[in-house]
mmCIF file with all atom_site columns, all heavy atoms in Angstrom:
data_model
loop_
_atom_site.group_PDB
_atom_site.id
_atom_site.type_symbol
_atom_site.label_atom_id
_atom_site.label_alt_id
_atom_site.label_comp_id
_atom_site.label_asym_id
_atom_site.label_entity_id
_atom_site.label_seq_id
_atom_site.pdbx_PDB_ins_code
_atom_site.Cartn_x
_atom_site.Cartn_y
_atom_site.Cartn_z
_atom_site.occupancy
_atom_site.B_iso_or_equiv
_atom_site.pdbx_formal_charge
_atom_site.auth_seq_id
_atom_site.auth_comp_id
_atom_site.auth_asym_id
_atom_site.auth_atom_id
_atom_site.pdbx_PDB_model_num
ATOM 1   N N   . CYS X 1 67 ? 79.797 81.787 112.240 1.00 0.00 ? 92  CYS X N   1
ATOM 2   C CA  . CYS X 1 67 ? 81.069 81.808 112.954 1.00 0.00 ? 92  CYS X CA  1
ATOM 3   C C   . CYS X 1 67 ? 81.756 80.464 112.770 1.00 0.00 ? 92  CYS X C   1
ATOM 4   O O   . CYS X 1 67 ? 81.230 79.420 113.183 1.00 0.00 ? 92  CYS X O   1
ATOM 5   C CB  . CYS X 1 67 ? 80.853 82.100 114.434 1.00 0.00 ? 92  CYS X CB  1
ATOM 6   S SG  . CYS X 1 67 ? 82.397 82.182 115.383 1.00 0.00 ? 92  CYS X SG  1
ATOM 7   N N   . GLY X 1 68 ? 82.916 80.466 112.140 1.00 0.00 ? 93  GLY X N   1
ATOM 8   C CA  . GLY X 1 68 ? 83.653 79.232 111.934 1.00 0.00 ? 93  GLY X CA  1
ATOM 9   C C   . GLY X 1 68 ? 84.799 79.429 110.966 1.00 0.00 ? 93  GLY X C   1
ATOM 10  O O   . GLY X 1 68 ? 84.967 80.494 110.362 1.00 0.00 ? 93  GLY X O   1
ATOM 11  N N   . ASP X 1 69 ? 85.610 78.395 110.836 1.00 0.00 ? 94  ASP X N   1
ATOM 12  C CA  . ASP X 1 69 ? 86.763 78.399 109.934 1.00 0.00 ? 94  ASP X CA  1
ATOM 13  C C   . ASP X 1 69 ? 86.287 77.955 108.561 1.00 0.00 ? 94  ASP X C   1
ATOM 14  O O   . ASP X 1 69 ? 85.825 76.824 108.386 1.00 0.00 ? 94  ASP X O   1
ATOM 15  C CB  . ASP X 1 69 ? 87.828 77.448 110.473 1.00 0.00 ? 94  ASP X CB  1
ATOM 16  C CG  . ASP X 1 69 ? 89.132 77.516 109.688 1.00 0.00 ? 94  ASP X CG  1
ATOM 17  O OD1 . ASP X 1 69 ? 89.097 77.921 108.511 1.00 0.00 ? 94  ASP X OD1 1
ATOM 18  O OD2 . ASP X 1 69 ? 90.179 77.167 110.251 1.00 0.00 ? 94  ASP X OD2 1
ATOM 19  N N   . VAL X 1 70 ? 86.408 78.822 107.589 1.00 0.00 ? 95  VAL X N   1
ATOM 20  C CA  . VAL X 1 70 ? 85.894 78.527 106.255 1.00 0.00 ? 95  VAL X CA  1
ATOM 21  C C   . VAL X 1 70 ? 86.595 77.334 105.626 1.00 0.00 ? 95  VAL X C   1
ATOM 22  O O   . VAL X 1 70 ? 86.051 76.673 104.747 1.00 0.00 ? 95  VAL X O   1
ATOM 23  C CB  . VAL X 1 70 ? 86.010 79.775 105.350 1.00 0.00 ? 95  VAL X CB  1
ATOM 24  C CG1 . VAL X 1 70 ? 87.471 80.055 105.005 1.00 0.00 ? 95  VAL X CG1 1
ATOM 25  C CG2 . VAL X 1 70 ? 85.170 79.631 104.102 1.00 0.00 ? 95  VAL X CG2 1
ATOM 26  N N   . GLU X 1 71 ? 87.816 77.006 106.092 1.00 0.00 ? 96  GLU X N   1
ATOM 27  C CA  . GLU X 1 71 ? 88.553 75.874 105.532 1.00 0.00 ? 96  GLU X CA  1
ATOM 28  C C   . GLU X 1 71 ? 88.271 74.569 106.265 1.00 0.00 ? 96  GLU X C   1
ATOM 29  O O   . GLU X 1 71 ? 88.550 73.492 105.737 1.00 0.00 ? 96  GLU X O   1
ATOM 30  C CB  . GLU X 1 71 ? 90.055 76.147 105.585 1.00 0.00 ? 96  GLU X CB  1
ATOM 31  C CG  . GLU X 1 71 ? 90.516 77.201 104.604 1.00 0.00 ? 96  GLU X CG  1
ATOM 32  C CD  . GLU X 1 71 ? 92.017 77.201 104.438 1.00 0.00 ? 96  GLU X CD  1
ATOM 33  O OE1 . GLU X 1 71 ? 92.703 77.713 105.339 1.00 0.00 ? 96  GLU X OE1 1
ATOM 34  O OE2 . GLU X 1 71 ? 92.510 76.693 103.414 1.00 0.00 ? 96  GLU X OE2 1
ATOM 35  N N   . GLU X 1 72 ? 87.705 74.654 107.457 1.00 0.00 ? 97  GLU X N   1
ATOM 36  C CA  . GLU X 1 72 ? 87.475 73.452 108.243 1.00 0.00 ? 97  GLU X CA  1
ATOM 37  C C   . GLU X 1 72 ? 86.202 72.728 107.835 1.00 0.00 ? 97  GLU X C   1
ATOM 38  O O   . GLU X 1 72 ? 86.047 71.543 108.074 1.00 0.00 ? 97  GLU X O   1
ATOM 39  C CB  . GLU X 1 72 ? 87.409 73.797 109.741 1.00 0.00 ? 97  GLU X CB  1
ATOM 40  C CG  . GLU X 1 72 ? 88.732 74.246 110.336 1.00 0.00 ? 97  GLU X CG  1
ATOM 41  C CD  . GLU X 1 72 ? 89.800 73.162 110.240 1.00 0.00 ? 97  GLU X CD  1
ATOM 42  O OE1 . GLU X 1 72 ? 89.458 71.979 110.447 1.00 0.00 ? 97  GLU X OE1 1
ATOM 43  O OE2 . GLU X 1 72 ? 90.960 73.502 109.946 1.00 0.00 ? 97  GLU X OE2 1
ATOM 44  N N   . SER X 1 73 ? 85.282 73.461 107.245 1.00 0.00 ? 98  SER X N   1
ATOM 45  C CA  . SER X 1 73 ? 84.016 72.832 106.871 1.00 0.00 ? 98  SER X CA  1
ATOM 46  C C   . SER X 1 73 ? 83.496 73.449 105.586 1.00 0.00 ? 98  SER X C   1
ATOM 47  O O   . SER X 1 73 ? 83.409 74.656 105.450 1.00 0.00 ? 98  SER X O   1
ATOM 48  C CB  . SER X 1 73 ? 82.973 73.026 107.987 1.00 0.00 ? 98  SER X CB  1
ATOM 49  O OG  . SER X 1 73 ? 81.721 72.547 107.552 1.00 0.00 ? 98  SER X OG  1
ATOM 50  N N   . SER X 1 74 ? 83.169 72.599 104.635 1.00 0.00 ? 99  SER X N   1
ATOM 51  C CA  . SER X 1 74 ? 82.542 73.074 103.394 1.00 0.00 ? 99  SER X CA  1
ATOM 52  C C   . SER X 1 74 ? 81.027 73.072 103.529 1.00 0.00 ? 99  SER X C   1
ATOM 53  O O   . SER X 1 74 ? 80.318 73.387 102.587 1.00 0.00 ? 99  SER X O   1
ATOM 54  C CB  . SER X 1 74 ? 82.956 72.167 102.227 1.00 0.00 ? 99  SER X CB  1
ATOM 55  O OG  . SER X 1 74 ? 82.515 70.834 102.452 1.00 0.00 ? 99  SER X OG  1
ATOM 56  N N   . ASN X 1 75 ? 80.526 72.708 104.717 1.00 0.00 ? 100 ASN X N   1
ATOM 57  C CA  . ASN X 1 75 ? 79.078 72.606 104.917 1.00 0.00 ? 100 ASN X CA  1
ATOM 58  C C   . ASN X 1 75 ? 78.549 73.754 105.771 1.00 0.00 ? 100 ASN X C   1
ATOM 59  O O   . ASN X 1 75 ? 77.647 73.571 106.579 1.00 0.00 ? 100 ASN X O   1
ATOM 60  C CB  . ASN X 1 75 ? 78.740 71.271 105.599 1.00 0.00 ? 100 ASN X CB  1
ATOM 61  C CG  . ASN X 1 75 ? 79.066 70.093 104.716 1.00 0.00 ? 100 ASN X CG  1
ATOM 62  O OD1 . ASN X 1 75 ? 78.754 70.093 103.536 1.00 0.00 ? 100 ASN X OD1 1
ATOM 63  N ND2 . ASN X 1 75 ? 79.710 69.086 105.295 1.00 0.00 ? 100 ASN X ND2 1
ATOM 64  N N   . HIS X 1 76 ? 79.171 74.939 105.602 1.00 0.00 ? 101 HIS X N   1
ATOM 65  C CA  . HIS X 1 76 ? 78.694 76.072 106.379 1.00 0.00 ? 101 HIS X CA  1
ATOM 66  C C   . HIS X 1 76 ? 77.294 76.471 105.913 1.00 0.00 ? 101 HIS X C   1
ATOM 67  O O   . HIS X 1 76 ? 76.780 76.002 104.891 1.00 0.00 ? 101 HIS X O   1
ATOM 68  C CB  . HIS X 1 76 ? 79.663 77.249 106.297 1.00 0.00 ? 101 HIS X CB  1
ATOM 69  C CG  . HIS X 1 76 ? 79.954 77.711 104.907 1.00 0.00 ? 101 HIS X CG  1
ATOM 70  N ND1 . HIS X 1 76 ? 79.064 78.456 104.180 1.00 0.00 ? 101 HIS X ND1 1
ATOM 71  C CD2 . HIS X 1 76 ? 81.043 77.539 104.119 1.00 0.00 ? 101 HIS X CD2 1
ATOM 72  C CE1 . HIS X 1 76 ? 79.578 78.734 103.006 1.00 0.00 ? 101 HIS X CE1 1
ATOM 73  N NE2 . HIS X 1 76 ? 80.780 78.179 102.933 1.00 0.00 ? 101 HIS X NE2 1
ATOM 74  N N   . ALA X 1 77 ? 76.700 77.381 106.653 1.00 0.00 ? 102 ALA X N   1
ATOM 75  C CA  . ALA X 1 77 ? 75.279 77.679 106.487 1.00 0.00 ? 102 ALA X CA  1
ATOM 76  C C   . ALA X 1 77 ? 74.901 78.204 105.110 1.00 0.00 ? 102 ALA X C   1
ATOM 77  O O   . ALA X 1 77 ? 73.729 78.180 104.744 1.00 0.00 ? 102 ALA X O   1
ATOM 78  C CB  . ALA X 1 77 ? 74.849 78.690 107.556 1.00 0.00 ? 102 ALA X CB  1
ATOM 79  N N   . PHE X 1 78 ? 75.872 78.675 104.331 1.00 0.00 ? 103 PHE X N   1
ATOM 80  C CA  . PHE X 1 78 ? 75.539 79.341 103.075 1.00 0.00 ? 103 PHE X CA  1
ATOM 81  C C   . PHE X 1 78 ? 75.928 78.528 101.845 1.00 0.00 ? 103 PHE X C   1
ATOM 82  O O   . PHE X 1 78 ? 75.932 79.044 100.741 1.00 0.00 ? 103 PHE X O   1
ATOM 83  C CB  . PHE X 1 78 ? 76.240 80.705 103.010 1.00 0.00 ? 103 PHE X CB  1
ATOM 84  C CG  . PHE X 1 78 ? 76.131 81.499 104.284 1.00 0.00 ? 103 PHE X CG  1
ATOM 85  C CD1 . PHE X 1 78 ? 77.231 82.171 104.789 1.00 0.00 ? 103 PHE X CD1 1
ATOM 86  C CD2 . PHE X 1 78 ? 74.935 81.564 104.984 1.00 0.00 ? 103 PHE X CD2 1
ATOM 87  C CE1 . PHE X 1 78 ? 77.143 82.893 105.964 1.00 0.00 ? 103 PHE X CE1 1
ATOM 88  C CE2 . PHE X 1 78 ? 74.837 82.293 106.155 1.00 0.00 ? 103 PHE X CE2 1
ATOM 89  C CZ  . PHE X 1 78 ? 75.946 82.957 106.655 1.00 0.00 ? 103 PHE X CZ  1
ATOM 90  N N   . LYS X 1 79 ? 76.252 77.286 102.017 1.00 0.00 ? 104 LYS X N   1
ATOM 91  C CA  . LYS X 1 79 ? 76.829 76.515 100.918 1.00 0.00 ? 104 LYS X CA  1
ATOM 92  C C   . LYS X 1 79 ? 75.858 76.315 99.755  1.00 0.00 ? 104 LYS X C   1
ATOM 93  O O   . LYS X 1 79 ? 76.291 76.076 98.628  1.00 0.00 ? 104 LYS X O   1
ATOM 94  C CB  . LYS X 1 79 ? 77.309 75.156 101.428 1.00 0.00 ? 104 LYS X CB  1
ATOM 95  C CG  . LYS X 1 79 ? 76.201 74.217 101.911 1.00 0.00 ? 104 LYS X CG  1
ATOM 96  C CD  . LYS X 1 79 ? 76.783 72.908 102.407 1.00 0.00 ? 104 LYS X CD  1
ATOM 97  C CE  . LYS X 1 79 ? 75.675 71.966 102.875 1.00 0.00 ? 104 LYS X CE  1
ATOM 98  N NZ  . LYS X 1 79 ? 74.810 71.531 101.762 1.00 0.00 ? 104 LYS X NZ  1
ATOM 99  N N   . ASP X 1 80 ? 74.570 76.410 100.008 1.00 0.00 ? 105 ASP X N   1
ATOM 100 C CA  . ASP X 1 80 ? 73.588 76.190 98.949  1.00 0.00 ? 105 ASP X CA  1
ATOM 101 C C   . ASP X 1 80 ? 73.085 77.495 98.329  1.00 0.00 ? 105 ASP X C   1
ATOM 102 O O   . ASP X 1 80 ? 72.176 77.485 97.505  1.00 0.00 ? 105 ASP X O   1
ATOM 103 C CB  . ASP X 1 80 ? 72.392 75.401 99.487  1.00 0.00 ? 105 ASP X CB  1
ATOM 104 C CG  . ASP X 1 80 ? 72.794 73.997 99.932  1.00 0.00 ? 105 ASP X CG  1
ATOM 105 O OD1 . ASP X 1 80 ? 73.663 73.403 99.269  1.00 0.00 ? 105 ASP X OD1 1
ATOM 106 O OD2 . ASP X 1 80 ? 72.238 73.521 100.937 1.00 0.00 ? 105 ASP X OD2 1
ATOM 107 N N   . GLN X 1 81 ? 73.689 78.622 98.727  1.00 0.00 ? 106 GLN X N   1
ATOM 108 C CA  . GLN X 1 81 ? 73.266 79.914 98.211  1.00 0.00 ? 106 GLN X CA  1
ATOM 109 C C   . GLN X 1 81 ? 74.036 80.250 96.928  1.00 0.00 ? 106 GLN X C   1
ATOM 110 O O   . GLN X 1 81 ? 75.134 79.758 96.696  1.00 0.00 ? 106 GLN X O   1
ATOM 111 C CB  . GLN X 1 81 ? 73.541 81.012 99.246  1.00 0.00 ? 106 GLN X CB  1
ATOM 112 C CG  . GLN X 1 81 ? 72.800 80.828 100.554 1.00 0.00 ? 106 GLN X CG  1
ATOM 113 C CD  . GLN X 1 81 ? 71.366 81.306 100.476 1.00 0.00 ? 106 GLN X CD  1
ATOM 114 O OE1 . GLN X 1 81 ? 70.963 81.915 99.489  1.00 0.00 ? 106 GLN X OE1 1
ATOM 115 N NE2 . GLN X 1 81 ? 70.584 81.025 101.492 1.00 0.00 ? 106 GLN X NE2 1
ATOM 116 N N   . LEU X 1 82 ? 73.439 81.098 96.090  1.00 0.00 ? 107 LEU X N   1
ATOM 117 C CA  . LEU X 1 82 ? 74.134 81.686 94.948  1.00 0.00 ? 107 LEU X CA  1
ATOM 118 C C   . LEU X 1 82 ? 74.323 83.170 95.235  1.00 0.00 ? 107 LEU X C   1
ATOM 119 O O   . LEU X 1 82 ? 73.382 83.856 95.644  1.00 0.00 ? 107 LEU X O   1
ATOM 120 C CB  . LEU X 1 82 ? 73.322 81.520 93.658  1.00 0.00 ? 107 LEU X CB  1
ATOM 121 C CG  . LEU X 1 82 ? 73.581 80.274 92.810  1.00 0.00 ? 107 LEU X CG  1
ATOM 122 C CD1 . LEU X 1 82 ? 72.754 80.346 91.535  1.00 0.00 ? 107 LEU X CD1 1
ATOM 123 C CD2 . LEU X 1 82 ? 75.056 80.115 92.478  1.00 0.00 ? 107 LEU X CD2 1
ATOM 124 N N   . PHE X 1 83 ? 75.543 83.652 95.001  1.00 0.00 ? 108 PHE X N   1
ATOM 125 C CA  . PHE X 1 83 ? 75.875 85.024 95.366  1.00 0.00 ? 108 PHE X CA  1
ATOM 126 C C   . PHE X 1 83 ? 76.233 85.851 94.136  1.00 0.00 ? 108 PHE X C   1
ATOM 127 O O   . PHE X 1 83 ? 76.857 85.352 93.193  1.00 0.00 ? 108 PHE X O   1
ATOM 128 C CB  . PHE X 1 83 ? 77.036 85.039 96.360  1.00 0.00 ? 108 PHE X CB  1
ATOM 129 C CG  . PHE X 1 83 ? 76.687 84.445 97.692  1.00 0.00 ? 108 PHE X CG  1
ATOM 130 C CD1 . PHE X 1 83 ? 76.977 83.121 97.980  1.00 0.00 ? 108 PHE X CD1 1
ATOM 131 C CD2 . PHE X 1 83 ? 76.039 85.206 98.651  1.00 0.00 ? 108 PHE X CD2 1
ATOM 132 C CE1 . PHE X 1 83 ? 76.643 82.561 99.188  1.00 0.00 ? 108 PHE X CE1 1
ATOM 133 C CE2 . PHE X 1 83 ? 75.692 84.664 99.874  1.00 0.00 ? 108 PHE X CE2 1
ATOM 134 C CZ  . PHE X 1 83 ? 75.999 83.333 100.144 1.00 0.00 ? 108 PHE X CZ  1
ATOM 135 N N   . ASP X 1 84 ? 75.862 87.123 94.193  1.00 0.00 ? 109 ASP X N   1
ATOM 136 C CA  . ASP X 1 84 ? 76.243 88.065 93.145  1.00 0.00 ? 109 ASP X CA  1
ATOM 137 C C   . ASP X 1 84 ? 77.663 88.561 93.351  1.00 0.00 ? 109 ASP X C   1
ATOM 138 O O   . ASP X 1 84 ? 78.308 89.024 92.409  1.00 0.00 ? 109 ASP X O   1
ATOM 139 C CB  . ASP X 1 84 ? 75.292 89.268 93.134  1.00 0.00 ? 109 ASP X CB  1
ATOM 140 C CG  . ASP X 1 84 ? 73.846 88.851 92.919  1.00 0.00 ? 109 ASP X CG  1
ATOM 141 O OD1 . ASP X 1 84 ? 73.591 88.099 91.957  1.00 0.00 ? 109 ASP X OD1 1
ATOM 142 O OD2 . ASP X 1 84 ? 72.988 89.266 93.712  1.00 0.00 ? 109 ASP X OD2 1
ATOM 143 N N   . CYS X 1 85 ? 78.139 88.495 94.573  1.00 0.00 ? 110 CYS X N   1
ATOM 144 C CA  . CYS X 1 85 ? 79.500 88.944 94.879  1.00 0.00 ? 110 CYS X CA  1
ATOM 145 C C   . CYS X 1 85 ? 80.015 88.176 96.085  1.00 0.00 ? 110 CYS X C   1
ATOM 146 O O   . CYS X 1 85 ? 79.295 88.017 97.084  1.00 0.00 ? 110 CYS X O   1
ATOM 147 C CB  . CYS X 1 85 ? 79.499 90.446 95.169  1.00 0.00 ? 110 CYS X CB  1
ATOM 148 S SG  . CYS X 1 85 ? 81.151 91.147 95.399  1.00 0.00 ? 110 CYS X SG  1
ATOM 149 N N   . ILE X 1 86 ? 81.253 87.666 95.980  1.00 0.00 ? 111 ILE X N   1
ATOM 150 C CA  . ILE X 1 86 ? 81.931 87.011 97.105  1.00 0.00 ? 111 ILE X CA  1
ATOM 151 C C   . ILE X 1 86 ? 83.226 87.775 97.346  1.00 0.00 ? 111 ILE X C   1
ATOM 152 O O   . ILE X 1 86 ? 84.001 88.026 96.422  1.00 0.00 ? 111 ILE X O   1
ATOM 153 C CB  . ILE X 1 86 ? 82.206 85.532 96.821  1.00 0.00 ? 111 ILE X CB  1
ATOM 154 C CG1 . ILE X 1 86 ? 80.877 84.788 96.594  1.00 0.00 ? 111 ILE X CG1 1
ATOM 155 C CG2 . ILE X 1 86 ? 82.975 84.890 97.970  1.00 0.00 ? 111 ILE X CG2 1
ATOM 156 C CD1 . ILE X 1 86 ? 81.037 83.317 96.247  1.00 0.00 ? 111 ILE X CD1 1
ATOM 157 N N   . ILE X 1 87 ? 83.455 88.162 98.609  1.00 0.00 ? 112 ILE X N   1
ATOM 158 C CA  . ILE X 1 87 ? 84.528 89.085 98.952  1.00 0.00 ? 112 ILE X CA  1
ATOM 159 C C   . ILE X 1 87 ? 85.516 88.432 99.906  1.00 0.00 ? 112 ILE X C   1
ATOM 160 O O   . ILE X 1 87 ? 85.122 87.797 100.890 1.00 0.00 ? 112 ILE X O   1
ATOM 161 C CB  . ILE X 1 87 ? 83.952 90.354 99.612  1.00 0.00 ? 112 ILE X CB  1
ATOM 162 C CG1 . ILE X 1 87 ? 82.889 90.991 98.715  1.00 0.00 ? 112 ILE X CG1 1
ATOM 163 C CG2 . ILE X 1 87 ? 85.059 91.366 99.927  1.00 0.00 ? 112 ILE X CG2 1
ATOM 164 C CD1 . ILE X 1 87 ? 82.032 92.012 99.432  1.00 0.00 ? 112 ILE X CD1 1
#
Side-chain angles (χ1 to χ4, degrees):
C92 181
D94 187 336
V95 71
E96 289 194 283
E97 291 299 321
S98 174
S99 61
N100 295 315
H101 56 76
F103 315 137
K104 66 181 181 66
D105 296 324
Q106 299 279 352
L107 269 184
F108 293 96
D109 302 309
C110 186
I111 299 178
I112 305 165

